[in-house]
Amino acid sequence: MARWPDRRILDLFGIKLPIIQAPMAGATTVDMVVAAARAGGLGSLPSAQLSVDQLKGALTGIRASTKAPVNVNFFAHVTPSADPVAQMRWRASLAPYYVEFDLDPAAPVAGAGRAPFDAAFCKVVEEFRPEVVSFHFGLPEKTLVERVKATGAKIVSSATTVAEAVWLEANGADAVIAMGFEAGGHRGNFLTHDMSRQVGTMALVPQVVDALNIPVIAAGGVADGRGVAAALMLGASAVQVGTAYLFCPEAKIPAVHAEALASAGDDSTAITNVFTGRPARGIVNRIMRDLGPMLDSAPAFPTAGAALAPVRAKAEAVSRNDFTSLWSGQAARLAPRMGASDLTRTLYEDALAVIEGRKTA
């Protein structure tokens, strides 16, 4: 069998296959990370919804199961200041749903939200020394970046425009994920918040490749071997795949999410900020239709989710996805249905078959 012709990411990360399992907070499990890593790809552990102790426990489990390189992913956002007025406005928008489910619209709510990378998380990186550390929403402050680099970890972050990619290279990234508009979940944007001017994968990847001296990873709309092969043709050294891994038995998602994914088509998703306060792509559901999908009055990321949690729980209990964040990219229909290990290998093998002209679909 032919070998992958661009080894820059393989050599940089010390992996065998140019397939990166995307870190999907709330859906990725230790079993998924281990399976992708054992298959030769890069397993990625999302940490934004974990406490320091939970992260240590997850990394301990991963290291006990595989010695293959792994990626630990963090968010690099700034925790917003308290804004009681915005929260009251948001609660008022949700009040009819509370009443519908016999909940008290004025009852206090609490949510863990998503924690940004800080000194406490950095100590975990220094203790466990993962081979790759990736960030979403830019990079943390310079001193933290320097501490991560001192562990020997390679630093990666997502860019949704060429300008963001150039900024990341200039500020210490060893590789950049060119995240096309097709990608599911939270957009990685950090220099711009204008969703009307976000760029698709086909246009973004080659322009980022041309602008940088470091290797590029393609993400967005890649769910089968054809997409992986196309990314190589555009100049990417590897791909990051998210939505396809949601179909794996190792994924941990609500039943209503799995059901929505199973029937999702090319036009089933939209960019919305109603779930967390930050733009993310998910399957359209009731709250997106009622309030958004983009709502100017949504409170700052990540504070919107806490008030939604009670009505989400009530709806899911009766098998309704009305208030669930059904994250998905635009290519869900293309995803193979198999375990995470087999998926990692199949994406690579099918891509080589396409490149060699032995497979067209």
Side-chain angles (χ1 to χ4, degrees), residues 4 224-226 228-229 346-356:
W4 195 248
D224 64 7
R226 293 172 295 180
V228 177
T346 296
L347 289 169
Y348 173 67
E349 291 166 1
D350 285 358
L352 284 183
V354 170
I355 291 169
E356 294 171 352

Side-chain angles (χ1 to χ4, degrees), residues 28 36 54-55 77-78 129 156-157 185 202 210 233 235 250 267 313 327 334 345:
T28 299
Q54 288 171 329
L55 176 57
H77 66 284
V78 176
R129 304 177 75 87
V156 184
S157 189
M202 180 70 72
D210 289 349
M233 295 299 100
E250 294 90 347
D267 61 350
W327 301 145
L334 301 177
R345 287 190 291 264

Side-chain angles (χ1 to χ4, degrees), residues 159-184:
T160 67
T161 64
V162 171
E164 288 177 345
V166 170
W167 186 94
L168 290 172
E169 181 177 28
N171 285 274
D174 296 296
V176 166
I177 300 165
M179 186 181 191
F181 196 49
E182 302 91 328

Side-chain angles (χ1 to χ4, degrees), residues 138-152:
L139 293 171
E141 62 182 54
K142 184 177 180 180
T143 55
L144 291 175
V145 171
E146 291 173 347
R147 285 175 59 181
V148 172
K149 279 186 169 289
T151 70

Side-chain angles (χ1 to χ4, degrees), residues 63-155:
R63 288 305 197 199
S65 300
T66 180
K67 301 304 180 185
V70 295
N71 166 37
V72 183
N73 174 260
F74 300 94
F75 283 179
H77 66 284
V78 176
T79 301
S81 301
D83 189 343
V85 173
Q87 292 299 328
M88 290 176 65
R89 188 166 54 238
W90 180 232
R91 292 293 296 270
S93 298
L94 300 180
Y97 306 124
Y98 273 70
V99 173
E100 178 182 337
F101 286 101
D102 296 321
L103 296 167
D104 180 3
V109 295
R114 291 159 174 82
F117 187 70
D118 58 12
F121 277 132
C122 194
K123 287 182 179 179
V124 178
V125 170
E126 290 168 334
E127 177 181 350
F128 285 86
R129 304 177 75 87
E131 290 76 11
V132 181
V133 175
S134 66
F135 295 99
H136 217 48
F137 314 134
L139 293 171
E141 62 182 54
K142 184 177 180 180
T143 55
L144 291 175
V145 171
E146 291 173 347
R147 285 175 59 181
V148 172
K149 279 186 169 289
T151 70
K154 304 305 180 184
I155 291 181

